[in-house]
């Protein structure tokens, strides 16, 4: 029996068919979504850059920790190896400068450190002694305030590379980058650049070898002064305060460049030894100066001025008097200054973001593990309870029901769908609501001549309108809703309607299965359906707060649907919207695992993205629409008290932040401990495999699909993250989509077996 409606006129030959209203709406929606997709990708890119920057500040990817020892120095001039601790290249010729007698140049390496450097500065200020600090660029960018105070106090600073690597192993490009990045950090932190340099692991001139000598020559040509030491306190060995003071003391009357450390480890002995050392040397008649001061005093009879390094060609000349700059410092101007400030700002963002994300990771990890635990425990209870009762809802439901099949251009699938219903063991009437199809779907349904099938035609208005139209035409009190690409097993309807023996039940969710699981994408979705959707539904059923009746298979009391106003087109997830409305109206919603439906999952990544985007964004819309359920009272308020918080936590908040687990796994592999990070990731994967295996056991599925899980975690899950981020961006920026039609292939022709 049909409701006669004239079929649409075919397009004139030779003329292109004008796009339908739905097609035009879909085109407009796609155009509106492109900027949101771009914004989502930009947010992800920004997070990635922040993580990479933070990791780079701690150690470069594949950080080089090699330190060269015992190399020959045949190419190094003898007067350099045996000369003073200050190496310059005036006119291109290597020249060393010694510290004047009775003079101490206090130098500090590896800072700034937020714990120890301020204490060193306080001691120097108390004793009115200047210091020369050779700073690591990554530390400068993380603690710019300390460097700013250091310079304002009258101390001198030098470059100690950006990541503290042995430059003798590095390429020319790497050496240049280490120096330039440190100069940028100094420019951003204190508005200066410097001509002083000290290489890591090379405190004395006898450490210069044939591998490192070209580095010093190159830096000397660029105007840098390389600074070594005469006396090493070896404070990093923590030998005791007295030993540090003793080892830092030069021969009587001799001047010395002395090395201490204000960072790089526990420096409490250095802090205790430093004032004792200053007092001792002052008692011996020594004075304290900077590297520039020692050079000026030693070369006062023949004053020379080193050329500025390339990074500070635009800098203003140094001043030495009345609160001006140290001689080795130059004011940063132009691009150097602004690039330096940008670096400091970016690092500040990274320094705030990464700890915040780390805290979020702990919360997400606890939530994810908690969800797995809840699903396992409650799913087991649900399975045992339901199988013990089986059909213990009350007297068997044997009366006929109405099955509504909304259809829009389903010519590939509609025949298999209707034939599967016709083979059912429960009496049904079948209402096919053709929503303005242009591919002959209605004609195919009519031509099958199946008993009990009615075709209702309507102008294209979307899935909610089609379902509401079907409800209006339904003759029976129980209506089953399914998609036009879904097939039922013979006993599906019979299983699905048995819970209605309980008069408090208003809706029943069936067990949706992926029928086209032979492809990689289909197998991934199969795992997701069995593990995620069905374990979730068991949990929510036991808690009496089921959030969604799947569109592929669900049954409703017609009275309940009409009571809440039918299907709404306010959201993209009309099934979630209706389910929550039924909860709020006081109806019970349950899950029937034995009622299985086989649906055609999206076969391409584009189709999958479109479907999941609609699902996730529609769920957010439905939750927002029913936000007042949080204050509902009585039994009808159970969803607001229990279901709403769980859905928000497990389906929105946790998935949005779940990528942190993968991001920090990669971060830890690159910058922290590869082996430990890999083991942690495998442990989380192991927990998921256990949950999935139990879900497969409950659904009597074959375990071979679990072999796909590692690849699913690496590829498929990342796409789902992006979809959810896209949905969140759309929710925050506003937007609306219509019911989207996915391309069907008709692969699910008959109910598939569980393998």
């Amino acid at each position: 029996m049909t409701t006669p409606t004239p079929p649409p006129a075919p397009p004139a030959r030779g003329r292109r068919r004008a796009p339908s209203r739905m097609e035009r709406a879909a085109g407009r929606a796609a155009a509106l979504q492109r900027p949101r997709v771009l914004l989502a990708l930009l947010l992800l890119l920004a997070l990635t850059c922040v993580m990479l920057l933070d990791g780079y500040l701690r150690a470069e990817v594949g950080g080089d920790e090699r330190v060269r020892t015992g190399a020959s120095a045949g190419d190094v001039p003898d007067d350099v190896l045996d000369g003073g601790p200050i190496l310059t290249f005036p006119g291109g010729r290597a020249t060393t400068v010694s510290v004047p007698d009775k003079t101490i140049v206090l130098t500090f390496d590896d800072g700034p450190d937020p714990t120890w450097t301020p204490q060193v500065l306080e001691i120097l200020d108390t004793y009115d002694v200047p210091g020369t600090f050779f700073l690591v660029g990554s530390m400068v960018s993380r603690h710019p305030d300390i460097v700013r105070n250091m310079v304002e106090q009258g101390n001198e600073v030098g470059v100690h590379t950006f990541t503290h690597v042995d430059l003798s192993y590095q390429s020319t490009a790497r050496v240049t980058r280490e120096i330039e990045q440190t100069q940028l950090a100094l420019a951003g932190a204190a508005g200066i650049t410097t001509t002083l340099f000290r290489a890591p692991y090379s405190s004395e001139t006898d450490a210069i070898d044939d591998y490192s000598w070209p580095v010093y020559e190159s830096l000397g040509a660029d105007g840098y002064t390389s600074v070594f030491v005469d006396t090493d306190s070896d404070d990093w060995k923590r030998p005791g305060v007295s030993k540090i003071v003793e080892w830092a003391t030069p021969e009587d009357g001799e001047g010395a460049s002395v090395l201490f450390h204000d960072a790089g480890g526990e420096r409490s002995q250095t802090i205790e030894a430093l004032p004792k050392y200053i007092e001792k040397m002052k008692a011996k008649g020594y004075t304290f100066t900077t590297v520039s001061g020692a050079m000026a005093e030693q070369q006062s009879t023949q004053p020379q001025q080193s050329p500025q390094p390339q990074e500070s060609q635009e800098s203003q000349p140094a001043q030495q008097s009345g609160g001006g700059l140290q001689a080795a410092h130059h004011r940063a101007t132009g691009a150097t200054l602004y690039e330096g400030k940008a670096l400091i700002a970016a690092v500040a963002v990274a320094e705030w973001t990464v700890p915040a994300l780390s805290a979020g990771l702990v919360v997400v990890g606890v939530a994810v593990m908690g969800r797995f635990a809840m699903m396992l425990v409650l799913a087991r209870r649900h399975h045992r309870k339901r199988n013990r009762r089986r059909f213990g809802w009350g007297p068997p439901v044997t009366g006929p029901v109405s099955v509504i099949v909304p259809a829009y251009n389903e010519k590939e699938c509609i025949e298999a769908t209707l034939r599967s219903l016709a083979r059912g063991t429960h009496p049904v009437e079948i209402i096919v609501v053709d929503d303005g199809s242009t591919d002959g779907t209605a004609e195919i349904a009519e031509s099958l001549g199946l008993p009990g099938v009615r075709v209702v035609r309507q102008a294209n208005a979307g899935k909610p309108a089609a379902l509401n139209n079907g409800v209006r035409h339904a003759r029976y009190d129980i209506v089953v809703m399914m998609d036009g690409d879904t097939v039922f097993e013979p006993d599906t309807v019979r299983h699905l309607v048995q819970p209605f023996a309980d008069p408090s039940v208003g809706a029943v969710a069936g067990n949706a299965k992926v029928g086209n699981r032979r492809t990689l994408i289909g197998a991934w979705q199969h795992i997701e359906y069995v593990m995620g959707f069905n374990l979730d539904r068991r949990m929510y059923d036991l808690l009496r707060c089921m959030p969604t009746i799947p569109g592929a298979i669900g049954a409703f009391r017609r009275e309940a649907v009409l009571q809440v106003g039918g299907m709404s087109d306010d959201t993209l997830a009309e099934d979630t919207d209706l389910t929550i409305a039924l909860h709020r109206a006081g109806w019970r919603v349950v899950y029937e695992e034995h009622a299985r439906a086989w649906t055609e999952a999206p076969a391409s990544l584009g189709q999958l993205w479109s479907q999941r985007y609609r699902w996730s964004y529609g769920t957010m819309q439905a939750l927002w629409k029913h936000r007042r359920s949080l204050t509902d009272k009585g039994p009808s308020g159970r969803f607001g008290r229990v279901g709403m918080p769980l859905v928000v936590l497990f389906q929105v908040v946790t998935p949005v932040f779940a990528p942190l687990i993968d991001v920090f796994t990669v971060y830890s592999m690159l910058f922290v401990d590869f082996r430990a990070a890999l083991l942690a990731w495998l442990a989380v994967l192991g927990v998921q495999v256990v949950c999935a295996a139990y879900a497969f056991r409950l659904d009597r599925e074959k375990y071979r699909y679990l072999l796909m899980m590692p690849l699913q975690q690496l590829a498929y899950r990342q796409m789902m993250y992006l979809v959810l981020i896209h949905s969140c961006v759309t929710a925050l920026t506003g937007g609306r989509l219509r019911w989207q039609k996915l391309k069907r292939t008709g692969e699910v022709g008959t109910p598939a077996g569980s393998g």
Side-chain angles (χ1 to χ4, degrees):
M1 180 176 180
T2 64
T3 301
T5 299
R13 179 172 297 180
R15 296 175 58 187
R16 238 178 126 181
R17 179 180 66 84
S20 67
R21 179 164 62 92
M22 187 170 189
E23 290 170 334
R24 291 195 301 270
R28 290 193 298 269
L32 288 173
Q33 292 312 304
R34 291 188 192 103
R36 296 189 178 102
V37 174
L38 180 60
L39 181 57
L41 292 176
L42 288 175
L43 288 174
L44 184 62
L45 177 62
L47 176 61
T48 302
C49 291
V50 166
M51 298 294 294
L52 289 174
L53 176 60
D54 186 78
Y56 180 71
L57 295 177
R58 286 163 170 77
E60 280 201 340
V61 178
D64 192 344
E65 298 180 356
R66 295 173 295 174
V67 178
R68 194 185 300 277
T69 58
S72 65
D75 295 338
V76 185
D78 292 338
D79 56 349
V80 170
L81 296 174
D82 300 330
I86 303 172
L87 174 62
T88 63
F89 287 81
R93 179 176 175 275
T95 303
T96 61
V97 179
S98 299
V99 178
D101 292 342
K102 287 286 188 174
T103 303
I104 296 293
V105 174
L106 278 179
T107 68
F108 300 87
D109 278 7
D110 299 344
D113 181 274
T115 300
W116 309 114
T117 304
Q119 296 182 56
V120 170
L121 291 176
E122 183 177 356
I123 293 170
L124 297 182
D125 185 56
T126 299
Y127 287 94
D128 194 24
V129 169
T132 300
F133 293 81
F134 290 91
L135 306 176
V136 177
S138 60
M139 299 295 290
V140 173
S141 60
R142 293 170 61 190
H143 307 292
D145 292 343
I146 298 176
V147 178
R148 190 177 304 115
N149 293 337
M150 181 185 296
V151 173
E152 290 176 353
Q153 188 175 307
N155 299 288
E156 202 163 47
V157 299
V159 172
H160 199 46
T161 74
F162 195 82
T163 58
H164 203 273
V165 294
D166 188 338
L167 295 182
S168 66
Y169 281 104
Q170 311 308 320
S171 66
T172 301
R174 173 68 181 273
V175 172
T176 301
R177 189 168 74 248
E178 290 282 335
I179 303 300
E180 289 180 346
Q181 289 174 345
T182 306
Q183 293 283 20
L184 286 178
L186 289 173
I192 63 160
T193 57
T194 180
T195 59
L196 300 183
F197 168 78
R198 175 178 287 163
Y201 314 110
S202 302
S203 59
E204 299 180 0
T205 54
D206 60 8
I208 304 175
D209 55 36
D210 292 341
Y211 295 96
S212 59
W213 178 242
V215 175
Y216 292 109
E217 287 185 306
S218 175
L219 291 175
D222 288 337
Y224 284 95
T225 296
S226 296
V227 181
F228 299 86
V229 300
D230 297 295
T231 305
D232 191 344
S233 69
D234 280 337
D235 56 342
W236 60 274
K237 297 179 181 178
R238 302 186 64 200
V241 173
S242 60
K243 285 293 184 182
I244 293 174
V245 173
E246 176 185 346
W247 293 346
T249 303
E251 296 292 333
D252 286 342
E254 293 184 0
S257 170
V258 182
L259 174 61
F260 288 87
H261 293 82
D262 64 319
E266 207 278 340
R267 296 290 176 248
S268 59
Q269 290 186 3
T270 301
I271 299 302
E272 187 177 352
L274 187 56
K276 297 181 182 299
Y277 177 75
I278 294 174
E279 291 173 357
K280 175 183 177 181
M281 301 313 295
K282 283 190 172 183
K284 287 188 171 187
Y286 275 78
T287 60
F288 291 84
T289 187
T290 62
V291 171
S292 297
M295 292 176 65
E297 183 178 346
Q298 191 68 282
Q299 300 174 356
S300 58
T301 56
Q302 296 178 344
Q304 297 179 0
Q305 185 174 353
S306 298
Q308 299 175 13
Q310 290 180 349
E311 290 77 18
S312 54
Q313 291 293 322
E314 300 176 356
S315 302
Q316 298 177 5
Q319 311 256 337
Q320 263 195 290
S321 61
L325 299 178
Q326 292 288 338
H329 297 170
H330 303 272
R331 296 193 188 278
T333 59
T336 301
L337 178 62
Y338 292 110
E339 289 176 14
K341 290 184 179 297
L343 172 63
I344 297 300
V347 171
V349 172
E351 288 286 291
W352 175 86
T353 301
V354 173
L357 293 179
S358 301
L361 175 62
V362 174
V363 175
V364 170
V366 171
V368 169
M369 293 298 109
R371 181 190 181 202
F372 287 149
M374 285 184 64
M375 285 195 305
L376 285 175
V377 173
L378 297 180
R380 177 174 173 79
R381 288 184 58 189
H382 179 277
H383 177 72
R384 297 179 67 179
K385 180 179 179 181
R386 287 294 161 82
N387 280 274
R388 187 167 56 243
R389 292 178 56 182
R390 201 56 182 264
F391 300 118
W393 299 100
V397 176
T398 58
V401 301
S402 301
V403 180
I404 303 171
V405 184
Y408 173 75
N409 289 348
E410 300 285 1
K411 68 176 182 179
E412 295 89 355
C413 310
I414 194 65
E415 180 177 353
T417 298
L418 297 181
R419 290 193 183 281
S420 74
L421 292 172
R423 287 191 294 266
T425 59
H426 195 90
V428 298
E429 69 159 346
I430 304 169
I431 305 171
V432 179
V433 183
D434 183 73
D435 188 40
S437 297
T438 59
D439 66 347
T441 296
E443 288 75 12
I444 294 173
E446 291 173 336
S447 68
L448 297 176
L450 297 175
V453 175
R454 286 189 288 155
V455 177
V456 177
R457 289 182 171 91
Q458 68 176 35
N460 178 241
K463 185 177 181 181
L467 291 171
N468 287 333
N469 199 2
V471 171
R472 286 193 293 270
H473 283 81
R475 294 177 178 149
Y476 302 111
D477 294 334
I478 297 175
V479 294
V480 174
M481 299 181 185
M482 65 184 298
D483 289 337
D485 63 335
T486 302
V487 296
F488 282 4
E489 295 178 358
D491 288 335
T492 294
V493 174
R494 181 171 63 84
H495 287 310
L496 189 63
V497 300
Q498 296 311 309
F500 289 107
D502 184 340
S504 68
V505 173
V508 181
N511 188 348
K513 314 287 285 183
V514 175
N516 54 329
R517 60 179 69 171
R518 291 183 178 85
T519 65
L520 183 61
I521 297 177
W524 285 343
Q525 292 175 86
H526 170 51
I527 296 172
E528 181 184 27
Y529 272 57
V530 175
M531 177 186 174
F533 297 164
N534 293 328
L535 275 186
D536 272 347
R537 289 193 179 103
R538 295 176 195 273
M539 176 181 71
Y540 287 126
D541 186 5
L542 208 59
L543 296 175
R544 295 201 173 192
C545 56
M546 181 82 61
T548 304
I549 301 291
I553 175 171
F556 303 83
R557 288 191 191 275
R558 186 171 183 271
E559 168 195 357
V561 174
L562 295 176
Q563 178 185 346
V564 299
M567 287 282 183
S568 170
D569 62 357
D570 292 341
T571 73
L572 295 178
E574 68 285 334
D575 43 10
T576 301
D577 190 354
L578 176 62
T579 306
I580 298 176
L582 291 173
H583 279 294
R584 299 186 68 188
W587 293 98
R588 186 178 172 192
V589 181
V590 301
Y591 172 59
E592 176 48 66
E593 62 188 273
H594 301 289
R596 291 186 289 268
W598 298 83
T599 186
E600 181 178 332
S604 69
L605 292 178
Q607 293 281 299
L608 179 62
W609 182 289
S610 179
Q611 181 198 67
R612 296 312 170 84
Y613 170 68
R614 181 176 64 83
W615 285 4
S616 59
Y617 183 44
T619 298
M620 293 179 192
Q621 288 178 310
L623 294 175
W624 180 253
K625 176 180 177 179
H626 293 282
R627 61 191 180 278
R628 296 188 184 279
S629 65
L630 293 169
T631 58
D632 289 345
K633 306 297 183 182
S636 62
R638 182 173 180 80
F639 180 82
R641 295 191 301 270
V642 180
M644 179 71 82
L646 287 179
V647 174
V648 171
L649 177 63
F650 291 152
Q651 293 185 220
V652 180
V653 176
T654 301
V656 165
F657 290 97
L660 289 177
I661 297 175
D662 297 317
V663 169
F664 271 88
T665 298
V666 175
Y667 174 86
S668 299
M669 287 180 174
L670 292 175
F671 302 115
V672 184
D673 187 327
F674 179 87
R675 184 171 180 272
L678 179 61
L679 290 176
W681 185 82
L682 291 175
V684 174
L685 177 63
V687 172
Q688 292 175 300
V689 170
V690 169
C691 292
Y694 185 65
F696 271 58
R697 178 187 173 189
L698 294 182
D699 270 19
R700 298 180 181 179
E701 293 285 354
K702 294 184 177 179
Y703 294 115
R704 66 169 180 259
Y705 289 99
L706 297 181
L707 296 175
M708 302 279 191
M709 278 202 71
L711 187 58
Q712 184 201 42
Q713 299 300 300
L714 291 172
Y716 180 81
R717 190 175 68 172
Q718 315 309 318
M719 180 178 176
M720 294 301 101
Y721 292 158
L722 292 175
V723 169
L724 191 58
I725 293 172
H726 180 197
S727 302
C728 291
V729 171
T730 302
L732 293 173
T733 59
R736 181 177 176 84
L737 294 180
R738 292 177 58 85
W739 179 36
Q740 298 174 9
K741 166 66 179 172
L742 299 180
K743 183 179 180 181
R744 300 303 183 188
T745 64
E747 292 180 60
V748 188
T750 57
S754 61

